Amino acid sequence: MVIPNDEEIRALHERYAPTREAFDLVHTHCEIVCAIAEQLIDRSDLALDRDLVRAGCLLHDIGVYRLYDSSGRLDHARYVSHGVLGHEILAQEGLPEALCRFCSHHTGVGLTREDIRDQGLPVPEADYLAESVEEELVMFADKFHSKRNPPVFFSADSYAASVARFGEDKVTRFKELRTRFGTPDLAPLVAAHGHALF
């Protein structure tokens, strides 16, 4: 499988970003998620494809660009669909399914068809669950930073508390991921980016 390099991925972001502000927000978030994932890889003995994880981190939120309207406002009501939209973008670009899945399979700690049906989510009814260790790591690393305005970092405990509103099974899943991958040291990233830590 051919994995795009950082420059090629940045060019994709630039092509789809509707504004410079959107590019800065989304691409910076993807770089932060990548830094978190690589820190966790460096502290573990996980057998995984580091290049695939890097590309997955840098591409996972590209679908967010399709949620901006012509005035630069983000459609928060349909935000949960950004993963499926990203999958579509990467597929249209001819990228392999293994990369497309990082977009559609990173939301929360995984979406099931039951989640979609019960919550009335605006995405096609299917299971969007991380399966490979690379998918799981990208999904997990993503939980520690948010693109909200202004962007913020979340500690593991803060994220666990926030995901509880979606059910105890989601809390359990996050705990399993934390046991498997560890807890990142966010202090250097907080200092580098100036985003608050909750």
Side-chain angles (χ1 to χ4, degrees):
M1 172 175 51
V2 176
I3 299 174
N5 63 34
D6 290 9
E7 292 75 25
E8 292 166 328
I9 291 170
R10 182 184 177 95
L12 275 176
H13 277 269
E14 289 172 338
R15 185 176 327 144
Y16 285 95
T19 64
R20 182 65 197 193
E21 293 77 18
F23 170 84
D24 289 342
L25 180 69
V26 175
H27 191 258
T28 299
H29 165 74
C30 290
E31 288 181 317
I32 289 169
V33 170
C34 187
I36 292 169
E38 289 182 333
Q39 181 193 112
L40 294 171
I41 291 170
D42 290 342
R43 292 175 16 200
S44 76
D45 57 359
L46 295 168
L48 49 69
D49 185 331
R50 187 184 186 106
D51 291 337
L52 184 60
V53 169
R54 183 171 184 82
C57 288
L58 294 175
L59 288 166
H60 78 280
D61 265 356
I62 200 162
V64 172
Y65 298 132
R66 287 213 170 145
L67 293 171
Y68 283 92
D69 66 18
S70 59
S71 66
R73 283 189 304 253
L74 186 62
D75 182 352
H76 293 282
R78 292 189 321 120
Y79 185 77
V80 72
S81 68
H82 76 279
V84 172
L85 295 172
H87 191 122
E88 291 172 0
I89 288 172
L90 297 188
Q92 289 165 4
E93 290 287 337
L95 294 178
E97 179 69 8
L99 284 173
C100 299
R101 285 180 53 89
F102 285 108
C103 295
S104 54
H105 291 70
H106 80 271
T107 304
V109 289
L111 291 176
T112 65
R113 58 182 70 245
E114 290 78 20
D115 294 329
I116 293 163
R117 190 169 43 247
D118 294 349
Q119 297 173 44
L121 301 177
V123 292
E125 199 173 294
D127 290 325
Y128 301 98
L129 303 170
E131 294 175 359
S132 70
V133 64
E134 290 87 357
E135 289 174 358
E136 288 180 329
L137 179 55
V138 171
M139 178 181 71
F140 180 67
D142 182 51
K143 305 295 86 81
F144 296 94
H145 187 259
S146 170
K147 296 179 300 298
R148 66 173 55 173
N149 187 14
V152 297
F153 287 94
F154 287 109
S155 69
D157 291 339
S158 291
Y159 184 81
S162 73
V163 80
R165 69 187 186 275
F166 298 110
E168 193 56 38
D169 60 318
K170 305 298 184 188
V171 175
T172 300
R173 178 65 173 136
F174 182 69
K175 287 179 183 174
E176 290 168 353
L177 293 165
R178 189 175 175 186
T179 298
R180 183 170 193 184
F181 296 117
T183 303
D185 176 8
L186 299 175
L189 291 166
V190 169
H193 293 277
H195 301 165
L197 172 63
F198 288 96

